[in-house]
Amino acid sequence: MPKATQKRPSLEVDDGDDDDMEMVLASQSQTMTQAEKAAAQLSPDTLEAKVNEIVQYMLIMEQKKIPVKKLDITKHILKDHRGIFLKAMEYAKTKLLRVYGFELTELGQGPGNKKQCYILLNTMDVNDSDHIDYSSEEPKVGLLMIVLSIVFMSGGVVAESIVWHALKKLGIYPDKSHEVFGDVKKLLTQEFVRQMYLEYNRVVNSDPPAYQFQWGQRALKETTKRKVLEFVTKMYGKDLQIDSWKSQYKEVLRSEGRPVDTMEDD
């Protein structure tokens, strides 16, 4: 993955809700034409500086896997020039792709029903590889893939209790600090959720409260159901093919827009 070489700016993510700013932004919905007119009023150097700030900010947040809200960009970077937002993002998208190999992707609402946000997807690898590197030595990536696999093999939504039951077989417990992962419960329910790899929601009308996991929007963008099923098949280490998992393989075919009628039922 390419690294940012610029000096890190003193920008912070605004995790709180700024109602006043949201109202201002809502009242200033714009078209690209309006953004182009606003951009034309700036000097080329000023416009370029703002675009470069956006690019650098996105690269820094990508290293942390933190989605960037539109509010973050307008409040911390564009400030009094928020009218150029669409045009500045268009320039930033082009630069991120051509120079750094990242695709700027809008995800819509983020965790906690926050407003539209953006992430970067790696396009540098062209050999049909995914952004999530299953063979990575990074331990958290392996744990994430295991949890995504549990969710997928359970039909797309899985009770938190089932996830912990599976992880306990690997010596990973929600109430014990792990020598590699540290606080695993916090990792799964906060960090991976903030990064939008997982969704963690309370089961409706559950008493006592019970929670469940689903794939987050970043996971849906960065990997495929086929790749996850291939990962599961390799984990078993037997002479299995991905179509050995009948219902899951049907879901893979559906996700790819391919017919499943010819497959035999379980």
Side-chain angles (χ1 to χ4, degrees):
M1 181 180 296
K3 301 292 185 180
T5 58
Q6 301 99 321
K7 183 179 179 181
R8 179 171 175 170
S10 58
L11 298 173
E12 299 294 335
V13 176
D14 185 358
D15 291 327
D17 291 327
D18 190 334
D19 294 334
D20 292 338
M21 181 64 72
E22 293 287 7
M23 292 177 64
V24 170
L25 293 177
S27 67
Q28 293 189 351
S29 297
Q30 60 176 196
T31 65
M32 178 59 77
T33 300
Q34 292 171 326
E36 289 173 343
K37 290 180 178 178
Q41 297 178 17
L42 298 180
S43 69
D45 289 344
T46 300
L47 179 58
E48 182 178 6
K50 290 298 180 183
V51 171
N52 287 338
E53 285 186 61
I54 293 174
V55 168
Q56 188 174 0
Y57 190 44
M58 293 299 305
L59 289 170
I60 290 171
M61 293 301 105
E62 169 59 21
Q63 291 177 1
K64 300 178 180 180
K65 294 296 182 185
I66 299 177
V68 176
K69 295 184 292 181
K70 175 181 179 181
L71 178 59
D72 295 329
I73 297 172
T74 54
K75 183 176 181 180
H76 297 303
I77 299 176
L78 298 182
K79 300 179 182 178
D80 293 337
H81 304 299
R82 63 177 65 96
I84 70 170
F85 177 81
L86 291 179
K87 193 61 179 177
M89 291 299 287
E90 180 183 60
Y91 287 141
K93 182 175 184 178
T94 299
K95 188 166 187 176
L96 283 162
L97 183 61
R98 291 181 178 176
V99 178
Y100 297 98
F102 284 110
E103 180 182 351
L104 180 64
T105 302
E106 182 178 347
L107 293 183
Q109 291 187 338
N113 294 320
K114 293 178 181 178
K115 301 304 180 180
Q116 68 187 95
C117 56
Y118 301 86
I119 64 170
L120 300 180
L121 299 180
N122 190 2
T123 64
M124 294 298 289
D125 296 326
V126 295
N127 297 319
D128 195 30
S129 60
D130 293 293
H131 192 53
I132 297 177
D133 183 3
Y134 313 123
S135 62
S136 172
E137 294 298 323
E138 171 58 48
K140 288 183 181 180
V141 175
L143 178 60
L144 172 62
M145 282 305 305
I146 291 172
V147 176
L148 291 176
S149 299
I150 295 171
V151 174
F152 175 66
M153 299 301 285
S154 301
V157 181
V158 62
E160 180 181 15
S161 59
I162 294 177
V163 172
W164 290 119
H165 178 74
L167 293 180
K168 284 178 183 178
K169 297 179 180 179
L170 302 176
I172 300 173
Y173 301 88
D175 55 352
K176 294 181 180 180
S177 179
H178 191 272
E179 60 180 355
V180 175
F181 305 118
D183 188 336
V184 184
K185 184 175 179 65
K186 183 177 180 180
L187 177 61
L188 266 60
T189 62
Q190 296 183 34
E191 184 173 336
F192 286 159
V193 170
R194 187 189 74 244
Q195 295 171 351
M196 301 180 76
Y197 282 119
L198 292 173
E199 291 184 5
Y200 179 69
N201 300 306
R202 179 175 175 175
V203 178
V204 178
N205 297 326
S206 59
D207 187 18
Y211 293 83
Q212 60 190 16
F213 287 101
Q214 293 176 260
W215 281 24
Q217 291 189 61
R218 186 188 287 271
L220 292 169
K221 291 285 187 179
E222 292 192 357
T223 193
T224 65
K225 294 177 179 179
R226 176 178 291 275
K227 290 294 183 181
V228 170
L229 190 55
E230 289 175 347
F231 174 80
V232 172
T233 304
K234 290 178 181 178
M235 283 182 61
Y236 273 78
K238 299 179 181 179
D239 295 330
L240 293 174
Q241 302 296 323
I242 63 171
D243 57 1
S244 300
W245 316 92
K246 298 297 185 181
S247 62
Q248 287 84 2
Y249 186 63
K250 286 181 179 179
E251 179 57 30
V252 167
L253 295 179
R254 291 189 189 97
S255 70
E256 297 172 344
R258 299 171 62 184
V260 299
D261 298 340
T262 57
M263 290 191 61
E264 295 181 0
D265 293 331
D266 296 334

